[in-house]
Structures are given as structure tokens and as C-alpha cells.
Amino acid sequence: DTAVSQTPKYLVTQMGNDKSIKCEQNLGHDTMYWYKQDSKKFLKIMFSYNNKELIINETVPNRFSPKSPDKAHLNLHINSLELGDSAVYFCASSRSSGGRYNEQFFGPGTRLTVL
Amino acid sequence: GNSVTQMEGPVTLSEEAFLTINCTYTATGYPSLFWYVQYPGEGLQLLLKATKADDKGSNKGFEATYRKETTSFHLEKGSVQVSDSAVYFCALSFGTGNQFYFGTGTSLTVIP
């Protein structure tokens, strides 16, 4: 069973389009994240949701809008795509119990290419 | 603030060589520390972790010790293999809120 899954794995689109990336976790975790990884492998947190509520919202253009319909899903919608949005986007999840073992589990990534 | 600093890559080693990837951190409290590994074309996987000072995390021949006095968590392996070629990320986290702070990643290539 896949713990954290993302669809699609690859996404190629034109500038100006709107696209969505879906993420699902079957680990029973209550916190989910979106990260952006650039071509130099630098990993930047974008958003974090805990029990469907936004708890981290880093400096990200408002063209990016996360949606969490339930604790197992966190989707990322991107409006008016730009060339600079090309990157690999990772979804992750974790338990937020306040214990010290709260490792994050990552999905396989979605490679977005904007032409 | 909280941050993680890793040694610059890329690192290229011959098979069976000794590996050290340096990681130091700045934190406002007492975080848990992690090493993640990213194989080509894949997501990040947890490699090892340590949750308090002097703890040693280990997995697949890799080790790292949580050193509070030097605020470090260096990754070591005694004899690397070609299959260890990947990008390695050091990270810290606090339980509350569970935000992770990742280093910039260190690319390792092991040649036969």
C-alpha cells in the first residue's frame, strides 16, 4: 500500500493555465504539507494543514491555493502558471501529537513543467 | 531563528570510502534531528533520527550523533556503495506544530 500518493507524477502545461495536483495519505496522519523543490534540490515549505486547518503559509504567491477536503487529502491548485513555477512538488504527512518522533512521510513528487 | 546548515556538495567518492556529511543547526529550543535521503526520481525517505542530546541514530550502515555542545548532527558511513548515490538532507523539527527545517541537501555520487 502506498503511504503518501500524488497525482499526476508528471505535468506539462502552458503558461497561463490553471492546474491541480492531488495528494492522499493512508497513514491516519492529521498534518499534511506541500513542498517545492527547485532544480538545485533546495526544498521549500509552502503550506501545512493540521486537521484541515491551515497552520503554515509561507511566502507563496496567492496563485497557489491549497484545499483540504478531509484529513487524508491535501490538494494544490495553481492559477495562471508561470515559467518559474516549474519544479518538483512534494506532498508529505505526519502526526502532530507533540511527541518528538514526528517524522514526515513524503510522496513521490509531481514534476511540473511550464512551457 | 531555526535553521540547518549542510556542507556544500556535490561529493564524489569511490566505493568503500568513508563518508562524512557535516550538518550543524541553530534552534531556539531542543529539536529532534533527522537525516533524509532522496534517491534519483523519488521522494524523500527517512534515513535516521535522534531526539535528544547524545542519542545516536543509525540505519543501513549510516550513523549520526546528536551533539548539543557543538550543535551538530554529522552523517557518517564507514564504507559507501554505489547504491548510496543520492541527495542527503539534514533536518530539525520540534514536536509542537511539527514544522521541519531542512538543509540545502548534499548530493553524493559513489563511483565503482
Side-chain angles (χ1 to χ4, degrees), chain A residues 33 37 94 100 102-104, chain B residues 30 32 36 38 49 98:
Chain A
Y33 311 80
Q37 187 176 50
S94 70
R100 300 178 71 78
N102 298 336
E103 66 208 62
Q104 293 190 1
Chain B
Y30 301 101
S32 296
Y36 278 80
Q38 184 180 23
K49 63 188 178 190
N98 210 42

Side-chain angles (χ1 to χ4, degrees), chain A residues 2-70:
Chain A
T2 303
V4 182
S5 59
Q6 294 179 228
T7 53
K9 188 165 175 63
Y10 300 97
L11 184 53
V12 181
T13 188
Q14 299 287 331
M15 247 185 350
N17 284 351
D18 303 337
K19 290 294 178 185
S20 292
I21 307 172
K22 296 186 176 182
C23 177
E24 177 180 3
Q25 55 93 5
N26 62 7
L27 298 166
H29 290 163
D30 54 5
T31 306
M32 296 184 72
Y33 311 80
W34 277 109
Y35 288 88
K36 179 180 180 181
Q37 187 176 50
D38 65 20
S39 58
K40 295 184 178 179
K41 303 294 186 185
F42 180 70
L43 204 60
K44 174 183 164 63
I45 181 117
M46 300 174 70
F47 302 102
S48 171
Y49 268 74
N50 176 256
N51 285 316
K52 296 170 47 182
E53 288 190 20
L54 183 65
I55 57 172
I56 295 173
N57 183 2
E58 294 294 317
T59 306
V60 173
N62 57 15
R63 299 181 294 104
F64 290 80
S65 53
K67 292 282 191 307
S68 182
D70 55 57

Side-chain angles (χ1 to χ4, degrees), chain B:
Chain B
N2 302 307
S3 65
V4 173
T5 302
Q6 285 182 238
M7 65 185 281
E8 294 277 333
V11 174
T12 302
L13 294 174
S14 296
E15 208 164 21
E16 298 183 4
F18 184 85
L19 169 71
T20 301
I21 301 178
N22 290 337
C23 171
T24 57
Y25 68 90
T26 302
T28 53
Y30 301 101
S32 296
L33 300 174
F34 304 81
W35 276 101
Y36 278 80
V37 58
Q38 184 180 23
Y39 298 106
E42 298 183 12
L44 279 71
Q45 305 172 23
L46 180 67
L47 181 59
L48 52 84
K49 63 188 178 190
T51 59
K52 62 182 187 298
D54 300 325
D55 269 3
K56 177 186 281 189
S58 61
N59 186 24
K60 299 181 181 179
F62 291 89
E63 291 184 341
T65 301
Y66 190 138
R67 301 280 189 207
K68 183 181 165 187
E69 64 277 10
T70 54
T71 61
S72 65
F73 193 54
H74 304 321
L75 182 69
E76 296 182 337
K77 187 175 185 182
S79 175
V80 293
Q81 306 301 312
V82 172
S83 57
D84 294 326
S85 297
V87 180
Y88 293 81
F89 292 89
C90 185
L92 69 84
S93 175
F94 297 92
T96 302
N98 210 42
Q99 181 167 358
F100 267 58
Y101 299 84
F102 282 92
T104 52
T106 301
S107 175
L108 169 67
T109 301
V110 180
I111 54 177

Side-chain angles (χ1 to χ4, degrees), chain A residues 88-101:
Chain A
V88 181
Y89 292 83
F90 287 101
C91 178
S93 72
S94 70
R95 231 177 352 107
S96 69
S97 66
R100 300 178 71 78
Y101 296 89

